[in-house]
Amino acid sequence: MKLKQIWLSIRITLIVAVVLLDSGHAYSQFQEQTSQMEVTMLQDQGFQAWKWQESDCEKCQIMLIPTSDEVRTIKVRRFIQALAINKEELQRIYKISGDEYTLLAHISVGILGRESLFGESSRYKLKETLPWLVTAAKVSKAFATGTSVTPNSRGLTQIKFLPAVVTERFGITSENLDIPENAAIATMGYLIEALAQLKNRIKTYRLEHITPDKYADYLPYIYFGRSKAIIDKSARPEQNAYVQALKKYMNMIEVFERKP
């Protein structure tokens, strides 16, 4: 199954490469046709549009298709292909349902956009080029405020704490999170663990207002280190700039699935 998925990804990438090799004007002219070609190819292969809570397919293959210029880059393509190709293995390792995996894969693209503007933000590039400068600034702040120094967030999705499972199984470290495939797997591992935390807090603190349809609203609070706001019910996703940006970037991707 994984070989078939890799081959399908290669076919889609080849279509995109032809367009990228054309002039900028031609790329702009044909961008919509390219997306439609990809969708048509997937539909011909038996894929259907996926929607959270409307699918219960445990072992479905998934594909994520860019629908905006910002996500039609090779870097993003590598990231989303890794999400699709590693679905079966990450599901097995973490014992997570197929539908929840697909939701988190979709959310991870939003995080990629929010944290590094899909790897293109100047701030991200500076942090990755001069990580020691970030560390020095943190040390100075900690000394001035009497607080402890926290680890630097690293990589395309700015992860601060790598899941042990990801490090041991895939050999991913903070130093190679600039590789799209590594960033995708690490982000999924983090989000899967974060979802387990969210579910536990919903049960422990009786947070009945956080229903499954709102996971994408509240999971980011754990990702950017504000989980306390979930517990004390001060989280306001509709007013939170991080959450709203993440959801905007999620809308730049369409998700498809195919039953085995």
Side-chain angles (χ1 to χ4, degrees):
M1 182 181 293
K2 183 174 287 191
L3 288 175
K4 290 182 178 179
Q5 187 124 14
I6 293 172
W7 176 237
L8 180 58
S9 297
I10 292 173
R11 290 175 64 190
I12 291 176
T13 302
L14 288 173
I15 292 176
V16 176
V18 170
V19 178
L20 289 175
L21 288 172
D22 211 333
S23 68
H25 175 73
Y27 173 66
S28 177
Q29 183 178 3
F30 290 113
Q31 58 189 2
E32 291 185 9
Q33 290 92 323
T34 302
S35 290
Q36 188 55 50
M37 287 171 65
E38 293 179 76
V39 171
T40 300
M41 178 183 291
L42 288 179
Q43 291 173 337
D44 290 344
Q45 294 285 329
F47 282 84
Q48 297 180 335
W50 171 89
K51 190 172 182 181
W52 171 233
Q53 293 190 287
E54 293 186 9
S55 169
D56 60 356
C57 184
E58 192 65 22
K59 296 183 179 181
C60 273
Q61 292 177 272
I62 62 170
M63 292 294 291
L64 296 89
I65 300 298
T67 59
S68 171
D69 281 355
E70 292 175 77
V71 286
R72 289 191 183 99
T73 68
I74 296 300
K75 193 174 294 182
V76 175
R77 294 277 178 178
R78 290 172 60 187
F79 185 94
I80 61 179
Q81 286 174 11
L83 295 174
I85 291 169
N86 290 283
K87 176 178 181 286
E88 183 178 352
E89 184 166 9
L90 287 171
Q91 272 191 259
R92 178 181 56 79
I93 292 171
Y94 279 104
K95 304 296 188 293
I96 185 173
S97 73
D99 203 28
E100 287 181 343
Y101 180 96
T102 305
L103 171 67
L104 298 182
H106 200 185
I107 291 174
S108 74
V109 180
I111 290 174
L112 176 64
R114 173 58 182 80
E115 292 290 357
S116 69
L117 198 58
F118 305 105
E120 300 303 323
S121 77
S122 299
R123 182 173 180 272
Y124 160 73
K125 292 178 180 179
L126 178 64
K127 287 183 67 177
E128 289 300 304
T129 303
L130 303 171
W132 59 267
L133 188 62
V134 178
T135 301
K138 285 190 172 186
V139 171
S140 298
K141 182 179 179 180
F143 180 79
T145 59
T147 57
S148 59
V149 180
T150 59
N152 291 346
S153 53
R154 298 295 303 274
L156 290 164
T157 55
Q158 293 294 285
I159 294 178
K160 187 171 292 186
F161 301 103
L162 274 171
V165 173
V166 166
T167 300
E168 294 168 6
R169 174 63 185 83
F170 297 93
I172 297 172
T173 69
S174 60
E175 301 302 318
N176 59 29
L177 283 171
D178 59 322
I179 299 172
E181 292 82 359
N182 290 349
I185 294 169
T187 305
M188 281 302 301
Y190 191 102
L191 285 176
I192 292 170
E193 294 183 8
L195 179 59
Q197 292 178 36
L198 180 63
K199 288 181 176 181
N200 182 59
R201 285 166 184 160
I202 290 172
K203 182 178 180 180
T204 302
Y205 297 99
R206 299 181 179 179
L207 305 174
E208 291 85 0
H209 63 288
I210 305 181
T211 49
D213 62 301
K214 295 180 180 177
Y215 284 167
D217 292 319
Y218 289 92
L219 264 177
Y221 280 86
I222 296 177
Y223 198 89
F224 60 69
R226 289 286 308 281
S227 58
K228 184 180 178 182
I230 296 174
I231 297 172
D232 64 22
K233 300 183 181 181
S234 64
R236 298 289 181 271
E238 68 281 358
Q239 300 172 11
N240 186 279
Y242 188 108
V243 175
Q244 295 307 309
L246 178 149
K247 295 179 81 171
K248 179 186 74 173
Y249 293 126
M250 285 176 66
N251 287 332
M252 296 180 181
I253 292 286
E254 288 186 20
V255 184
F256 293 82
E257 66 177 4
R258 178 174 65 183
K259 293 183 178 181

